[in-house]
Amino acid sequence: MTAELDPLPPPDGLTRRSFMTWSSLAGASVAVAGTVAADGRGLVPLTAAAAPKAGGTTAVWGACVVNCGSRCPLIYQVADGRIVRVDVEPTGDDEVGSQQIRACVRGRSIRHRIYHPDRLKYPMRRVPGARRGEGKFERISWDEALDAIAASLTSILKEHGPEAVYLNYGTGTLGGTVAKSWPPSATPIARLMNLLGGYLNHYSDYSTAQITSAYPFHYGTWVSSNSFDDMVHSKLVVYWGNNPTETRMSGGGENFVTLTEKQKSGAKVIVVDPRLSDTAVAQADEWVPLRPGSDPALVAGLAHVMISEELHDQAFLDKYCVGFDEDHLPAGAPAGSSYRSYVLGDGPDGTPKTPEWAAQITGVPAATIVRLAREIAQAKPCNITQGWGPQRHAAGENSARAIFTLAALTGNIGIPGGGTGGREASFGLPMAVFPTGENPVTTAISNFGWTEAIDHGPEMTALNAGVRGADRLKTGIKFIWNYASNTLVNQHADHNRTGEILADETKCEMIVVIDNQLTVSARYADILLPDVSNAEQDDLAEQGSAGSLGYTVFQSKAIEPMYECRTIYDMMAQLADRMGVGEKFTEGKSQEDWLRQIVAESRQNIPDLPNYEDLKAAGIWKTENPDGPIVPLADFRADPVKNKLDTPSGLIEIYSAQLAEIGAAWELADGDRITALPEYVPTWEGSEEARRADATYPLQMISHHYKQRTHSTYGNVDWMVEAHPQQVWVNPADARARGIAPDDLVTVWNDRGKVRIRAKVTPRIAPGVVSLPEGGWFTPDADGVDTGGSPNTLTSLRPSPLARGNAQHTALVQIEKA
């Protein structure tokens, strides 16, 4: 008999009116009576708040540990074994470094996730004969589920080896410690697989694949930009595709820090983005809309002005960089291959990258480019940070490197108030981690390449698919672990093609999904295991993004595990018993024992951290960075000889000889290029193709982070859906040309699929561009049209050339009134 998910009763006492009132006050502090405020350093006692109140509720510390970066603490009010209210933590003040960490509207709606009708209740398996993705399951016992997984895993390991097993990327419990889904190598599943011989690795991630691959060739390793609390020293702030107001929504996290420090400094703020983001609305003095993927062209146009007018910092470039001009090229580099030559038209293409040239590509007027170049060059210091949207393109590696280069051109690297051109740094605590051991398998694919590895794994090599640690894959992926992840389908690209690949059982033979919601990805499981929520177990919440504030939260079990749900640790321990490695897996420890060990080990690095009992009783512990704001590469700036970078030259490499060699050696798809310089490279489905007179798909589609959810998490919560409906953003000019009015039902489509969704007609999106907020739940109707508004119905599985990463902001579409 096919099982159904019985609906749960709605949380008590909630009406539309009360919710809308609550939502409007989401940025305000909600205090818990009887708590003791902290001074921002050391132990924060909860005292009276932990005791039952007159109404019979008890306050229990928890946290929202999904993938937004903030990891906000929460306080669950519990009565009769049920969470009846969620409050924010009451400690701290309104000073950066000791601030209250105020959860956003998503975290405050967490009760609706815990008690959602989509909540998974018991183990299930796909009904025999049902196609993966249909979502047809039957209830089974835990013994049946674990026995089936053990049998499949044993068979696949024996026949194909550990390289056939893949731990899919997912961030549904990013901020946990034992109950943690990212990185997959840090999970209890990884601990089990390492005891069984290992699994196929992946490198990079969906957020940062291209910038992660760009960093080694420019800075030698990942180098963040100055922390936001350093913004107080800046004269100008340039958010290049950076949107902390929406990506770090917490009022006590980076959003609070940026707003506070900007007010102190009085710095002008410029936002460069195809969309007028909430950051631009709240903070910017100027919005510079540009065509998606054209960032290197805009940087080159700015550089042309700076070089021509001698506004660039030549002394910095001479001392700290390789490849800016002909006198500082590495040995063996061809004449005319410096960045200066590229910009001035003395390079191989012979084209000066004038503001007029850049304007044609970017859509930014030439006069604006000239003015911006002068402002950015002459503001001392200037904080340049980039978000991760510009790099999530078909040539996103070059976008990332170009923005790094702008920071070098202006000499703002390694100084207070400046920045490296990367994403902002944040202070964190050196907490110990759950030990998972070492993976015996060294072979790795890109985070985005797993569908390729299912479909034609043995054809993937180091030269044509970016395989690392081996010349090629020995086998395709036969077994997938998908834990707390909606990336199996919803957050991966091209849903229809991905669904076809997953549906072929002759390729991937077993898919195990572990979650507590019936997500889009869960529909594709062979075996579904019901996980507890973080409110149903003890765990530690890792440090989130909060400027100079470091903190950890002890998440105490607020309610007993619901239905037949189990913790990921207990699931893997019982499976380890079946696989003959039970004692090695647990070492005789429960989850609580591991937490005690982790706290004890953490105290070796953080002497002031409370012991286990005191931390659990307090709920939260905060401390301020004793070194103040973070200024990356300050030591390199002080002495580049003593503090060399991990590049071949030891310096910042604007020209990379390594990339020149890779570009010549790798087998690249038609139209792809890997360049030694951070050049503008026209790409497949880029702005040039969109602007052709005969373009079938004349609109560039991007996606943006949205208040309704963190990626796809909270995307099924009624409060959030009502407050922030899914809509496609369309510029008024593009809407008029198609007869589209605000809130019209429209169809967005290309060769990969169709989406039917309401239109938000707004000048906050650049002409020729539409934006469909990321994370909408893929919901195909009987005709296969997605009515849930997932942009990945329309994105491509084609990877970027260097990172082999997800280029999910490179997609062309058409739109019409439905």
Side-chain angles (χ1 to χ4, degrees):
M1 177 178 180
T2 302
E4 296 182 359
L5 300 174
D6 300 329
L8 290 164
D12 303 327
L14 298 174
T15 65
R16 173 181 169 83
R17 182 174 181 180
S18 65
F19 164 60
M20 298 310 289
T21 301
W22 166 86
S23 183
S24 70
L25 297 174
S29 169
V30 181
V32 179
T35 56
V36 177
D39 64 358
R41 297 175 177 82
L43 190 62
V44 181
L46 188 56
T47 60
K53 292 185 178 180
T57 63
T58 301
V60 182
W61 280 96
C64 177
V65 293
V66 298
N67 182 18
C68 74
S70 294
R71 322 283 200 276
C72 293
L74 301 169
I75 293 179
Y76 301 120
Q77 299 293 346
V78 181
D80 298 324
R82 182 179 175 85
I83 299 170
V84 296
R85 178 180 172 84
V86 178
D87 290 328
V88 298
E89 64 101 0
T91 68
D93 51 34
D94 287 329
E95 292 296 323
V96 171
S98 59
Q99 69 266 25
Q100 180 189 12
I101 308 165
R102 302 169 187 147
C104 76
V105 292
R106 297 188 295 247
R108 298 187 199 189
S109 73
I110 196 170
R111 187 163 60 108
H112 288 235
R113 287 193 69 230
I114 295 168
Y115 297 114
H116 198 280
D118 287 343
R119 184 69 190 267
L120 297 176
K121 301 177 180 179
Y122 33 69
M124 295 190 286
R125 67 181 165 212
R126 180 164 52 94
V127 170
R131 179 182 170 90
R132 283 181 184 150
E134 287 187 82
K136 294 182 178 179
F137 299 101
E138 59 185 9
R139 181 177 182 175
I140 57 177
S141 69
W142 272 103
D143 283 341
E144 289 176 295
L146 295 174
D147 287 347
I149 295 170
S152 175
L153 194 54
T154 298
S155 174
I156 287 171
L157 288 172
K158 181 178 180 180
E159 183 176 355
H160 301 285
E163 197 177 282
V165 179
Y166 187 66
L167 278 59
N168 202 42
Y169 174 98
T171 60
T173 57
L174 176 64
T177 296
V178 177
K180 179 179 183 177
S181 62
W182 188 89
S185 60
T187 65
I189 300 173
R191 181 175 175 86
L192 172 63
M193 292 309 307
N194 289 339
L195 293 171
L196 297 175
Y199 56 92
L200 179 64
N201 286 288
H202 79 250
Y203 57 86
S204 296
D205 56 67
Y206 282 74
S207 293
T208 67
Q210 285 86 332
I211 196 172
T212 296
S213 291
Y215 264 122
F217 303 101
H218 193 94
Y219 284 122
T221 188
W222 184 287
V223 177
S224 296
S225 194
N226 295 27
S227 57
F228 278 148
D229 51 323
D230 179 63
M231 192 185 297
V232 70
H233 301 116
S234 303
K235 299 300 182 185
L236 176 65
V237 175
V238 180
Y239 287 127
W240 201 298
N242 202 357
N243 180 22
T245 301
E246 291 176 279
T247 60
R248 300 286 187 264
M249 272 178 59
S250 162
E254 300 291 23
N255 187 30
F256 168 82
V257 174
T258 57
L259 288 167
T260 302
E261 300 305 77
K262 174 185 179 294
Q263 290 172 349
K264 291 179 183 177
S265 69
K268 179 178 180 179
V269 174
I270 297 171
V271 171
V272 182
D273 200 310
R275 186 179 69 96
L276 184 66
S277 65
D278 282 10
T279 297
V281 170
Q283 299 188 38
D285 298 283
E286 182 175 4
W287 171 44
V288 181
L290 79 169
R291 295 184 180 119
S294 67
D295 309 81
L298 181 53
V299 171
L302 296 170
H304 192 280
V305 176
M306 293 177 186
I307 295 168
S308 300
E309 299 183 6
E310 297 186 353
L311 298 174
H312 61 296
D313 192 332
Q314 186 67 48
F316 180 89
L317 294 163
D318 288 346
K319 185 174 182 180
Y320 299 100
C321 300
V322 166
F324 170 71
D325 53 34
E326 297 296 304
D327 292 336
H328 295 87
L329 281 169
S337 60
S338 67
Y339 190 71
R340 181 187 181 106
S341 294
Y342 165 73
V343 168
L344 296 182
D346 298 327
D349 67 6
T351 302
K353 309 308 181 294
T354 63
E356 292 73 20
W357 169 89
Q360 290 297 313
I361 295 170
T362 65
V364 180
T368 300
I369 295 173
V370 172
R371 177 176 54 77
L372 288 173
R374 292 168 179 166
E375 283 191 55
I376 293 171
Q378 295 179 84
K380 302 293 183 181
C382 177
N383 178 329
I384 301 171
T385 66
Q386 66 175 297
W388 295 334
Q391 56 90 48
R392 208 171 294 120
H393 281 274
E397 298 90 346
N398 278 21
S399 293
R401 294 170 58 217
I403 300 166
F404 297 157
T405 299
L406 182 62
L409 283 169
T410 53
N412 281 295
I413 296 170
I415 59 173
T420 65
R423 186 75 179 263
E424 68 279 355
S426 182
F427 176 57
L429 299 177
M431 297 289 288
V433 298
F434 177 67
T436 59
E438 185 174 348
N439 186 355
V441 175
T442 59
T443 307
I445 59 174
S446 89
N447 64 284
F448 191 57
W450 59 270
T451 36
E452 284 188 86
I454 293 173
D455 190 53
H456 50 267
E459 299 173 21
M460 295 173 66
T461 71
L463 295 181
N464 69 19
V467 174
R468 296 182 184 175
D471 292 334
R472 64 187 319 116
L473 294 187
K474 299 174 185 176
T475 178
I477 292 173
K478 301 295 182 182
F479 187 112
I480 292 179
W481 288 106
N482 189 79
Y483 164 46
S485 169
N486 207 2
T487 309
L488 186 66
V489 176
N490 205 76
Q491 302 306 104
H492 198 56
D494 196 345
H495 292 327
N496 290 309
R497 176 58 184 149
T498 295
E500 290 174 2
I501 292 171
L502 291 176
D504 189 343
E505 298 175 51
T506 67
K507 293 178 179 177
C508 185
E509 299 172 14
M510 172 62 78
I511 299 175
V512 178
V513 173
I514 304 169
D515 213 312
N516 53 42
Q517 306 283 316
L518 186 63
T519 64
V520 175
S521 295
R523 301 175 202 160
Y524 289 78
D526 296 309
I527 300 290
L528 261 175
L529 301 181
D531 193 15
V532 297
S533 69
N534 58 340
E536 297 161 65
Q537 62 184 319
D538 284 349
D539 202 6
L540 286 167
E542 292 182 338
Q543 160 82 36
S545 297
S548 60
L549 177 64
Y551 65 94
T552 187
V553 181
F554 194 102
Q555 304 177 89
S556 291
K557 184 167 68 173
I559 57 175
E560 291 300 316
M562 298 172 65
Y563 310 109
E564 294 184 15
C565 299
R566 295 182 181 179
T567 67
I568 183 67
Y569 180 75
D570 286 345
M571 292 181 207
M572 293 302 105
Q574 291 166 47
L575 188 57
D577 281 338
R578 286 167 168 80
M579 302 295 291
V581 293
E583 291 185 8
K584 290 182 179 179
F585 179 86
T586 65
E587 297 182 18
K589 297 185 180 75
S590 66
Q591 182 161 324
E592 180 183 8
D593 293 331
W594 283 113
L595 290 172
R596 288 181 178 275
Q597 176 176 311
I598 290 165
V599 172
E601 291 176 353
S602 298
R603 296 184 72 203
Q604 296 177 20
N605 298 323
I606 314 168
D608 293 335
L609 183 72
N611 62 34
Y612 180 86
E613 286 77 12
D614 288 344
L615 180 59
K616 184 173 183 177
I620 189 170
W621 183 79
K622 299 178 180 179
T623 189
E624 188 173 5
N625 183 2
D627 298 324
I630 301 169
V631 182
L633 298 186
D635 56 347
F636 170 72
R637 178 96 184 218
D639 190 337
V641 176
K642 182 179 178 182
N643 302 298
K644 292 182 179 180
L645 303 182
D646 195 19
T647 58
S649 64
L651 301 173
I652 298 168
E653 299 203 344
I654 298 173
Y655 177 99
S656 170
Q658 291 176 306
L659 285 179
E661 293 177 7
I662 290 172
W666 281 18
E667 301 167 17
L668 302 176
D670 289 345
D672 282 349
R673 290 176 59 204
I674 296 173
T675 60
L677 294 172
E679 303 175 21
Y680 170 70
V681 177
T683 68
W684 50 272
E685 298 195 37
S687 64
E688 286 85 354
E689 185 177 336
R691 287 180 286 124
R692 287 201 324 248
D694 61 346
T696 303
Y697 303 114
L699 298 171
Q700 291 183 269
M701 185 192 75
I702 60 173
S703 55
H704 63 270
H705 291 270
Y706 193 34
K707 292 184 286 290
Q708 184 196 101
R709 53 192 177 261
T710 300
H711 301 306
S712 68
T713 306
Y714 294 104
N716 61 339
V717 169
D718 54 348
W719 278 5
M720 304 312 300
V721 171
E722 182 180 5
H724 307 293
Q726 183 76 340
Q727 299 169 307
V728 59
W729 291 38
V730 188
N731 184 273
D734 297 318
R736 282 194 300 271
R738 293 162 175 80
I740 296 170
D743 207 39
D744 274 351
L745 191 64
V746 297
T747 302
V748 189
W749 86 95
N750 59 23
D751 291 341
R752 293 180 287 271
K754 291 184 178 180
V755 173
R756 191 161 294 132
I757 200 74
R758 297 286 173 183
K760 179 182 177 72
V761 179
T762 173
R764 289 179 58 181
I765 189 75
V769 183
V770 298
S771 187
L772 190 55
E774 62 97 23
W777 286 32
F778 176 55
T779 310
D781 64 14
D783 298 320
V785 178
D786 175 21
T787 60
S790 173
N792 288 319
T793 305
L794 306 168
T795 57
S796 173
L797 288 174
R798 180 169 174 173
S800 65
L802 177 64
R804 305 294 299 179
N806 46 304
Q808 286 166 287
H809 292 333
T810 298
L812 296 184
V813 300
Q814 181 58 286
I815 184 171
E816 66 180 5
K817 191 171 180 178

